[in-house]
Amino acid sequence: MFAGQNTFISQWTIHYNLRFILSVLLAQIATFNGLYMHQRILILDYGSQVTQLIARRVREAGVYCEIHPGDVSEAFLKEQQSQGLKGIILSGSHSSAYDESSLKVPAPVFELGVPVLGICYGMQAMAMQLGGKVSWSDHREFGYAEVRAHGHTALLKGIQDFETPEGHGMLKVWMSHGDKVTELPEGFKLMASTPSCPIAGMADEKRHFYGVQFHPEVTHTVKGQALLSRFVVDICGCEGDWNMPDYVTEAVARIREQVGNDEVILGLSGGVDSSVAAALIHKAIGDKLTCVFVDHGLLRLNEGKQVMEVLHENLGVNIVHVNAEAKFMGELEGVADPEAKRKIIGREFVEVFQEEAGKRKDAKWLAQGTIYPDVIESAASKTGKAVAIKSHHNVGGLPETLNLQLLEPLRELFKDEVRELGIALGLPHHMVYRHPFPGPGLGVRILGAVKQEYADLLRRADAIFIEELRNTIDPETGRSWYDLTSQAFAVFLPVKSVGVMGDGRTYDYVVALRAVQTSDFMTADWAPLPYSLLAKVSGRIINEVRGINRVVYDVSSKPPATIEWE
């Protein structure tokens, strides 16, 4: 070792440690003052049905992003820039860029000095507004396509699925367009092409503007995640500081700052979102949180007991367990219309919750498990040109007469992030990764009028189905069929069929089994469950649930069917 090297190493170590400690302290100061800001990507939505998938892919790259309507103001863009904006993605759309009524990309987007990626309509709108041309195509592309990459651009360099004999790098992608760019704007060069779409990608490397005609956000584009990661990490320069274990500290600090010493009440459904919200808020304010768990008699088997065990006994969350089964069943008697059932269940939940909330005079905040898709889908563009998919009113739409402020600690998170957060908070895997369950519970899995007898039969049949899915391991993947399906459940059919048991004739009810596989719940395929598994489930239900003598399996995909039956 050279003379003086020990001194140099010691000085360097002290300097490095001081810098590290200082950075940690600064991060903590910022966090606990509610000032912590993540580098962010802004996604401008022009009405595509898969815009949320763009955000999910960006988040999977460890980068925070937000979705906003495509007609945001210049002031909004500057505010985003002051909050760590690193890049912008323009979504697809059902509209044509050359249509006068279509949303235009705000001009300041191209003047902020940050990289921009246009996807499908986003590419076409970028091309038109920067001086190129877009026109109707006489050869539309909907589905699988193979795209040739050109020019070794920063976005696509080294990303390919295969190579042609001529040495051309090719991408397997998903196309969905009837228009196309026919003339590049000044400063752009060709980045990708297909035989029917000569300009399937364009790039202005100087300004870091890129456009792709295909959809990298969907799973059908094999290297889609790699492309989006390349854009947000390498081109935009995001460091990838977005993850759920670290987010816990940030979220706890925010809740404490927002709530102070006030008391909070939360409507606990037992689902993933409200359970994770309860665990997070409890970590932040402890006994200042009270959860109201309304059991409407339409929950899964032993669900109420499981919620109490996990949240109350294990985590110490204060929970008021209200058994309102008789009240709900009475109101639902004779009601067969699905929408009417939903409204009754929502209304009764509000009344029961309001009654319990009224007993807590010191409560100042109402907590809800609202998540980011709820926020996105309820938002519409200020111009009215961006169509809201649906409105979400968590906890049944609680009335303003409660006079409570709203606390929604999960409103920035997608469902998969909520699950990761739940694990980071110490909730058990089997609870956090349960399949989705509708708010009205079994009320919309019992076709027609709801009866106590039907609910009891369905609960037991559904529990058997789920148990066998968990216990059956697929030899090829080593995973259970419960994990291999995205949602699985039983449906009660209010019809009877003739059967034979022993030497006697039976005339009992029918249940249908439903299991689907999907990555986004916008489309879904029925799950190819092994015949041996279906046979075992059917045999157990018929033998163990007296009153059911026939089991059928639903082999409908979405579309044309929906996942739930009602």
Side-chain angles (χ1 to χ4, degrees), residues 57 67 76 82 142 187 189 207 220 227 234-235 252 254 274 290 327 343 354 383 403 412 427 439 500 526 541 546:
R57 300 292 174 258
I67 297 175
F76 173 84
S82 70
F142 294 97
K189 65 180 180 180
R207 290 183 287 180
H220 306 75
L227 185 155
D234 297 338
I235 295 174
V252 165
R254 283 187 187 178
S274 65
T290 298
K327 179 177 175 64
K343 289 180 178 178
Q354 189 170 14
T383 64
N403 295 317
E412 295 179 338
L427 294 176
V500 177
W526 59 274
I541 290 174
R546 185 178 295 273

Side-chain angles (χ1 to χ4, degrees), residues 291-319:
C291 295
V292 178
F293 179 50
V294 179
D295 187 344
H296 48 36
L298 297 168
L299 299 173
R300 290 168 285 199
L301 189 67
N302 298 323
E303 188 160 21
K305 180 181 177 182
Q306 291 171 4
V307 169
M308 295 299 291
E309 285 179 351
V310 172
L311 291 175
H312 178 63
E313 296 178 19
N314 294 345
L315 297 182
V317 179
N318 293 329
I319 302 179

Side-chain angles (χ1 to χ4, degrees), residues 10 12 51 55 100 162 261 320 360 375 408 507 540 564:
S10 298
W12 181 88
T51 300
E100 287 297 324
F162 67 96
N261 292 318
V320 177
R360 282 147 188 85
V375 177
E408 297 175 316
Y507 191 55
R540 283 195 58 192
E564 296 284 350

Side-chain angles (χ1 to χ4, degrees), residues 111 136 281 433 522 563:
E111 300 166 1
W136 174 81
I281 297 169
Y433 281 90
M522 288 182 256
I563 295 176

Side-chain angles (χ1 to χ4, degrees), residues 51-87:
T51 300
Q52 286 189 37
L53 296 184
I54 302 174
R56 288 179 60 187
R57 300 292 174 258
V58 172
R59 297 271 184 102
E60 286 170 10
V63 176
Y64 179 71
C65 63
E66 292 181 0
I67 297 175
H68 289 277
D71 55 350
V72 293
S73 67
E74 182 177 0
F76 173 84
L77 290 169
K78 289 183 177 179
E79 180 185 3
Q80 288 283 305
Q81 197 168 26
S82 70
Q83 294 176 355
L85 180 66
K86 301 289 286 184

Side-chain angles (χ1 to χ4, degrees), residues 198-221:
I199 304 177
M202 62 183 194
D204 180 335
E205 299 272 57
K206 185 176 180 180
R207 290 183 287 180
H208 304 296
F209 291 169
Y210 300 88
V212 291
Q213 186 59 65
F214 54 90
H215 288 267
E217 69 272 30
V218 301
T219 55
H220 306 75
T221 297

Side-chain angles (χ1 to χ4, degrees), residues 502-521:
D503 295 325
R505 174 184 181 275
T506 63
Y507 191 55
D508 289 326
Y509 292 107
V510 181
V511 293
L513 306 180
R514 178 73 159 146
V516 299
Q517 295 175 320
T518 176
S519 61
D520 53 25
F521 287 89

